[in-house]
Amino acid sequence: MKDVTAVILAAGMGTRMKSSLPKVLHRAAGRPLVEYPVRAALELGVASVVVVTSGHPEIARSLEAAFGARVSTVVQDPPRGTGDAARVGLARVETERALVYYGDAPLMTARELEAIVTASREAELAFASAMPENPHGYGRVLRDASGRVLEVREQRDLESDAERAVREVNAGVYAAKKSVLTRALADLKPMNAQGELYLTDIVAAVATEGRVVALVGSPDALVGVNDRSQLREAEELLFARIRERLGREGVMVHGDARIDDGVSVAPGAELEAGVRLRGATTIGPDTRIDVGSVLTDATLGARVVVKPYSVISSSRVGDGAEIGPFAHLRPESDIEAEAHVGNFVETKKTRMRRGSKANHLAYLGDGDVGERANVGAGTIFCNYDGYQKHRTVIGEDAFIGSDSQLVAPVSIGKRAFVGSGTTVTQDVPDDALALSRTRQENKLDYGPMLRARLGEAARRAKEKK
Ligand code: UD1
Ligand code: CA
């Protein structure tokens, strides 16, 4: 495909999105819409990709970050229609042939683009069409009695019920020699309901003198995102595609798990229904993520078990670790191999070294928990004094009794014990026991006396009423 340049039109206002963000920057399955058509072109192996944009700096920035120098942008300002956008893009084409399509169609694949380019080698112009259940809103492909393509006419410019009944619609991918496109685009006039230059008008222009092929493809690929309801529809189709791909790669995906496009999952992993994997999350082999867990930019090793309803953000989890149910790993948590973080435990910027455990109800912020150390239920790292965050360091094999507060900055020595209910404000040396609770007193046979006294008080209170 070295004789082909892809021109992607992404400068429209996207008014139907009702958003201040340009349409093509809205995300589907974790990526800005515009990245999908660009990726399809790169997969196809075109000579280069030119994206026509509104000039919003974020579009160029996002493309640069995702694809580097392989993709260039050119600004169409003001946006005067798809025909005008194609002109602007075509001016940057240096190859013999161009493939022009819309930036709001994230489901278009390299395969479908390839078919159009191939068809264009046998005709003056080739474009993609489809037969959706409901053609409303799309440009219709009008043919003569013999089936020859005559023109594409937009929904608002249709003139008869017969035209409106046509099911074949324009999918918005065009391929031709640059010279053919340039000539046809030069003659465009805004003779339509919107007063715009329509790229679709090149079909009629070229059809008067040469052969135009409309290649009928899958209606899925057609889904163009004009409003948020179509964005939702496109995103669900993208998620379904990702689930299918992972299934073929040896990942067991149950039900409606939603996995972003940028996520990588190793074979043998299992994702339960209702799991949401976002951003640049990476899942190692044989790791299991149970129902309702939400992972964002998380890196999980092999054989990790994430029990139901856990939330992991910008954190790492080592091989064989166990998380949840209902655990919350906030950014920069580093849970090493074989460590356990159990129900209602929240970690933040905390390293849980190999084999350490915090199984129930704890807040562990800005900490470092040594190998095999055990953090009891109800432990709190008091990391914030209202002004600054401070660190809590726990040595290897230490034991923190339940309901302890470790007032940071503080460190607990190796093999040390902290007695249950202790408020630790000073460092604890290796092998020591720290205790700060008041001594217990047992008053023998006090129960019956106390009961009589409390009962009498209750009776008197009732009489007063
Ligand atoms: C377009 C086609 C329609 C086709 C449908 C398929 C035209 C006139 N109509 O309609 O036949 O069935 O796609 O989804 O082409 N854009 C620019 N500059 C502009 C205007 C638009 O770059 O001045 C870009 C938009 O960002 C968008 C793409 O072109 O990515 C298509 O524009 P849009 O307004 O969505 O066209 P549709 O009404 O969907
Ligand atoms: Ca569209």
Side-chain angles (χ1 to χ4, degrees), residues 9-12 16 23-24 52 76 79-82 85 102-104 138-139 152 154 170-171 174 198-200 222 224 226:
L9 311 186
R16 289 167 280 184
K23 171 164 81 177
V24 293
V52 182
Q76 178 206 19
R80 294 192 298 139
T82 50
Y102 303 140
D104 65 353
Y138 292 103
V152 168
E154 292 308 293
N170 171 28
Y174 316 78
Y198 281 177
L199 174 54
T200 43
L222 177 70
N226 296 322

Coordinates of all heavy atoms in Angstrom, one line a residue, residues 9-12 16 23-24 52 76 79-82 85 102-104 138-139 152 154 170-171 174 198-200 222 224 226, ligand 1:
L9 N -10.9 12.5 7.9 CA -11.6 13.8 8.2 C -12.1 13.8 9.6 O -13.0 13.0 10.0 CB -12.8 13.9 7.2 CG -12.4 13.7 5.7 CD1 -13.6 14.0 4.8 CD2 -11.2 14.4 5.3
A10 N -11.6 14.7 10.4 CA -11.9 14.8 11.8 C -12.1 16.2 12.3 O -11.8 16.6 13.4 CB -10.9 14.1 12.6
A11 N -12.5 17.1 11.4 CA -12.6 18.5 11.7 C -14.0 19.0 12.0 O -14.2 20.2 12.4 CB -12.0 19.4 10.6
G12 N -15.0 18.2 11.9 CA -16.4 18.6 12.1 C -16.6 19.2 13.5 O -15.8 18.9 14.4
R16 N -23.8 17.5 17.3 CA -24.8 16.6 17.9 C -24.3 15.9 19.2 O -25.1 15.3 19.9 CB -25.2 15.5 16.8 CG -26.0 16.1 15.7 CD -26.1 15.2 14.4 NE -24.9 15.3 13.6 CZ -24.7 14.6 12.5 NH1 -25.7 13.8 12.0 NH2 -23.6 14.8 11.8
K23 N -15.6 16.2 18.8 CA -16.2 14.9 18.8 C -15.2 13.8 18.8 O -15.3 12.8 19.5 CB -17.1 14.8 17.5 CG -17.6 13.4 17.3 CD -18.8 13.3 16.3 CE -18.3 13.4 14.9 NZ -19.5 13.3 14.0
V24 N -14.2 13.9 18.0 CA -13.2 12.8 17.8 C -12.3 12.6 19.0 O -11.5 11.7 19.0 CB -12.3 13.0 16.5 CG1 -13.2 12.9 15.3 CG2 -11.6 14.3 16.6
V52 N -7.3 15.5 9.1 CA -7.8 16.9 9.0 C -8.5 17.2 10.3 O -9.5 16.5 10.7 CB -8.8 17.0 7.8 CG1 -9.3 18.4 7.7 CG2 -8.1 16.5 6.5
Q76 N -8.5 22.4 9.1 CA -9.5 22.9 8.2 C -10.3 24.0 9.1 O -10.9 23.6 10.0 CB -10.5 21.8 7.8 CG -11.6 22.3 6.9 CD -12.9 21.4 7.0 OE1 -13.0 20.6 7.9 NE2 -13.8 21.6 6.0
P79 N -14.9 24.8 9.3 CA -15.3 23.5 8.7 C -16.5 23.8 7.8 O -17.6 24.0 8.2 CB -15.7 22.7 9.9 CG -16.0 23.6 11.0 CD -15.2 24.9 10.7
R80 N -16.2 23.6 6.5 CA -17.3 24.0 5.5 C -17.8 22.7 4.8 O -18.3 22.7 3.7 CB -16.8 24.9 4.5 CG -16.4 26.3 5.1 CD -16.2 27.4 4.0 NE -15.0 27.0 3.2 CZ -15.0 27.1 1.9 NH1 -16.0 27.6 1.2 NH2 -13.9 26.7 1.2
G81 N -17.7 21.6 5.5 CA -18.3 20.4 5.0 C -17.2 19.3 4.7 O -16.0 19.6 4.6
T82 N -17.6 18.1 4.5 CA -16.7 17.0 4.3 C -15.9 17.1 3.0 O -14.8 16.7 2.9 CB -17.4 15.6 4.3 OG1 -18.6 15.7 3.4 CG2 -17.9 15.3 5.7
A85 N -13.2 19.5 3.6 CA -12.2 18.9 4.5 C -11.3 18.0 3.6 O -10.1 17.9 3.8 CB -12.9 18.1 5.6
Y102 N -13.9 8.9 7.2 CA -14.3 9.8 8.3 C -13.7 9.3 9.6 O -13.6 8.1 9.9 CB -15.8 9.8 8.4 CG -16.5 10.3 7.2 CD1 -17.7 9.6 6.7 CD2 -16.0 11.3 6.4 CE1 -18.3 10.1 5.6 CE2 -16.6 11.7 5.2 CZ -17.8 11.1 4.8 OH -18.4 11.5 3.7
G103 N -13.3 10.3 10.4 CA -12.7 10.1 11.7 C -13.7 9.7 12.8 O -13.3 9.4 13.9
D104 N -15.0 9.6 12.5 CA -16.0 9.3 13.6 C -16.5 7.9 13.4 O -17.6 7.5 13.9 CB -17.1 10.3 13.6 CG -17.9 10.3 12.3 OD1 -17.6 9.5 11.4 OD2 -19.0 11.0 12.3
Y138 N -28.4 8.4 7.1 CA -27.2 8.2 6.2 C -27.5 8.7 4.8 O -28.6 8.8 4.4 CB -26.8 6.7 6.2 CG -26.3 6.2 7.5 CD1 -27.1 5.4 8.3 CD2 -25.0 6.5 7.9 CE1 -26.7 4.9 9.5 CE2 -24.6 6.0 9.1 CZ -25.4 5.2 9.9 OH -24.9 4.7 11.1
G139 N -26.4 9.0 4.1 CA -26.5 9.3 2.7 C -26.9 8.0 1.9 O -26.4 6.9 2.3
V152 N -24.6 9.7 -4.4 CA -25.0 9.5 -3.0 C -25.7 10.8 -2.7 O -25.3 11.9 -2.9 CB -23.7 9.4 -2.1 CG1 -24.1 9.5 -0.7 CG2 -23.0 8.1 -2.4
E154 N -27.7 12.8 0.5 CA -27.9 12.9 1.9 C -29.3 12.8 2.3 O -30.2 13.2 1.6 CB -27.3 14.2 2.5 CG -25.8 14.3 2.3 CD -25.1 13.1 3.0 OE1 -25.2 12.9 4.2 OE2 -24.5 12.3 2.2
N170 N -24.2 5.1 2.3 CA -22.8 5.4 2.1 C -22.1 5.2 3.5 O -22.4 5.8 4.5 CB -22.7 6.9 1.7 CG -21.3 7.4 1.7 OD1 -20.3 6.6 1.5 ND2 -21.1 8.7 1.9
A171 N -21.1 4.4 3.5 CA -20.3 4.1 4.7 C -19.2 5.1 4.9 O -18.6 5.1 6.0 CB -19.8 2.6 4.7
Y174 N -13.6 6.3 0.8 CA -13.5 6.5 -0.7 C -12.1 6.3 -1.1 O -11.1 6.7 -0.3 CB -13.9 7.9 -1.1 CG -15.1 8.4 -0.4 CD1 -15.1 8.9 0.9 CD2 -16.3 8.5 -1.1 CE1 -16.2 9.4 1.5 CE2 -17.5 9.0 -0.5 CZ -17.4 9.4 0.8 OH -18.5 9.9 1.4
Y198 N -20.2 18.9 0.1 CA -20.3 17.5 0.4 C -19.3 16.6 -0.4 O -19.3 16.6 -1.6 CB -21.7 17.0 0.0 CG -22.9 17.3 0.9 CD1 -24.2 17.0 0.6 CD2 -22.6 18.0 2.1 CE1 -25.2 17.3 1.4 CE2 -23.7 18.3 3.0 CZ -25.0 17.9 2.6 OH -26.1 18.2 3.4
L199 N -18.5 15.9 0.4 CA -17.6 14.9 -0.3 C -18.4 13.9 -1.1 O -18.0 13.5 -2.1 CB -16.8 14.2 0.8 CG -15.9 13.1 0.4 CD1 -14.9 13.5 -0.7 CD2 -15.1 12.6 1.6
T200 N -19.6 13.6 -0.6 CA -20.4 12.6 -1.3 C -20.8 13.0 -2.8 O -21.0 12.2 -3.6 CB -21.8 12.4 -0.5 OG1 -22.2 13.7 -0.2 CG2 -21.5 11.6 0.7
L222 N -20.0 0.6 9.7 CA -20.6 1.8 9.3 C -20.8 2.7 10.5 O -20.8 4.0 10.4 CB -22.0 1.5 8.7 CG -22.9 2.6 8.3 CD1 -22.4 3.3 7.1 CD2 -24.3 2.0 8.0
G224 N -21.2 5.4 12.6 CA -20.5 6.6 12.7 C -21.1 7.3 13.9 O -22.3 7.3 14.2
N226 N -22.3 10.2 15.8 CA -22.7 11.6 15.6 C -23.2 12.2 17.0 O -23.1 13.3 17.3 CB -23.8 11.7 14.6 CG -23.3 11.4 13.2 OD1 -22.2 11.7 12.8 ND2 -24.1 10.6 12.5
Ligands
UD1_1 C1 -21.5 11.4 6.3 C2 -21.8 11.3 4.9 C3 -23.0 10.3 4.7 C4 -22.6 9.0 5.3 C5 -22.2 9.1 6.7 C6 -21.6 7.8 7.2 C7 -21.3 13.5 3.9 C8 -21.9 14.8 3.4 N1 -22.2 12.6 4.3 O1 -22.6 12.0 7.0 O2 -23.2 10.2 3.3 O3 -23.7 8.1 5.1 O4 -21.2 10.1 6.9 O5 -21.3 7.9 8.6 O6 -20.1 13.3 3.8 N2 -15.9 16.7 8.9 C9 -14.8 17.5 8.7 N3 -15.0 18.8 8.2 C10 -16.3 19.3 8.0 C11 -17.4 18.4 8.3 C12 -17.1 17.1 8.7 O7 -13.6 17.1 8.9 O8 -16.4 20.4 7.6 C13 -15.6 15.3 9.5 C14 -16.3 15.1 10.8 O9 -15.4 15.4 11.9 C15 -16.6 13.6 10.7 C16 -16.7 13.3 9.3 O10 -16.1 14.4 8.6 O11 -15.6 12.8 11.3 C17 -18.1 13.1 8.8 O12 -18.9 14.3 9.1 P1 -20.4 14.1 9.7 O13 -20.9 15.5 9.9 O14 -20.4 13.2 10.8 O15 -21.2 13.5 8.4 P2 -22.5 12.6 8.5 O16 -23.7 13.5 8.7 O17 -22.4 11.5 9.5

